[in-house]
Amino acid sequence: MPVTEFSTGEKYRYQCGFNSHFESEAVEGALPIGHNSPQQPPLGLYAEKLSGTAFTAPRHDNKQTWLYRILPSCAHPPYQPAPEGIAPELVRTESSKMHFIPNQLRWDPFSHDESKDHDFVSGLKLVAGAGDPTQKQGLGMYVYAAGRDMDEKTAYYSADGDLLIVPQEGDLDIRTEFGWLLVRQMEIAVIPRGVKYNVRLASGPARGYALELYEGHFNLPELGPIGSNGLANARDFMAPVANFTQDFGATAHEGVNCHIVTVKFNNALFQTTQAHTPFDVVAWQGNYYPYKYDLGRFNTIGTISFDHPDPSIFTVLSAPSSVPGTAVADFVIFPPRWLVGEDTFRPPWYHRNTMSEFMGLIRGGYDAKRGGAGGFVPGGASLHNVMSGHGPDAESHEGARAAKLEPVKVGSGSCAFMFESCLMVGVTEWGLRTCKKVQEGYSEESWGGVVTHFKLPEGKTVKSHLVE
């Protein structure tokens, strides 16, 4: 049977809103009315429920979507372990233990050297992480570099968690079961656990960052005293409209013309082949779906009197832990913004944090870190683990300490981001050694030259209750 694609209009059409209940049909009348699973769904389709939470999760947390597809997802032969080497840095073995170290780390831009041989999935490299996907606890932090499209008849999904994608170079043309997402630099996308997708490169080789969330789902942070407006607005998140391919695989025989589906399951890869396309959803309705967001629409909040606010004020998305106010993962950005604080050290202050901070640079420069060779530059990253001290490098500190305090806009044309977690994260062997991108002497170069400004005033003595 010839492959025919159907859509409700142009390839990229979106519905707007975060955690909203949406419905979409590529063929009029494909969605049932009044019933989720009637005895005979319209157009001879199969009803299939995709659940992102337990059936009995509280209504405000419950995530589920009904898919109306040509053939159900279970219509395939058993999964088998994927061939060795398909994506070695996605697979965890006994020899790939995490290195938990307190040292501050920074990486040069991750390489494109072999990206021409990799698609998006095989180009994913696990840099750091913590937890266990079998317990639905923790997260993984990745970089990716891809030089080719995924094969047209392949699809991938993760049973381990939701994937937050942060492009740094190159546009991603992501086909999902729900429809298409075009994700460009300064946009992000979230692909929920279990959703099948295929990634094509819309503008040549691509590089970026990703976070896999094993625990829960991302939400918009509570605004508290900020009020009802600010940060990321729900209306600016975009979900795809239904788009499907009518490919029943009638010509498939003994693996010829078959579709390959790869699943990541407890950090191991499995594959099956099936005669029909996985992208056969004609209509869907629910609140569990992939989405994207334009970071340029983030409404930055800051101080207009004094002091530098906590970086939590820049949170776009948050995945809460069981401890109130504490996140398994926050996605935080540092976009262009005005600084006006009086008598204020304006860059981030020196600090030790109970949270781990993995930071990347999408474009431009970051005001608290030196750029250039051996510095913090686009495509690179840094990791400051739990309670490891960090802050501006010595040069940036001295500049900010002596700066004239007048209104100034920082970060024009730039955007840094942070994956922040309450967990102590380990670094993989690939991230620590194999990639050969760790900057030797990062700590010494950044803070070895910190100047002592303390001076005991003349005539002053040290007082102590221990001194008689």
Side-chain angles (χ1 to χ4, degrees), residues 130-139 160 193 214-216 328 423:
D132 182 354
T134 67
Q135 302 294 317
K136 294 187 176 179
Q137 297 174 343
L139 76 172
D160 290 350
R193 183 197 307 265
Y214 308 150
E215 185 171 345
V328 175
L423 304 174

Side-chain angles (χ1 to χ4, degrees), residues 6 37 101 105 162 217 235 245 328 340 343 373:
F6 294 86
S37 181
I101 53 179
L105 297 173
D162 294 1
H217 303 286
R235 66 171 183 266
T245 296
V328 175
V340 299
D343 191 21

Side-chain angles (χ1 to χ4, degrees), residues 51-58 61-64 217 288:
S51 297
T53 54
F55 297 146
T56 52
D61 286 332
N62 205 292
K63 292 185 179 291
Q64 59 178 328
H217 303 286
Y288 188 64

Side-chain angles (χ1 to χ4, degrees), residues 326-344:
T326 305
V328 175
D330 281 332
F331 175 65
V332 179
I333 65 171
F334 302 98
R337 60 205 181 277
W338 282 92
L339 301 181
V340 299
E342 298 177 329
D343 191 21
T344 293

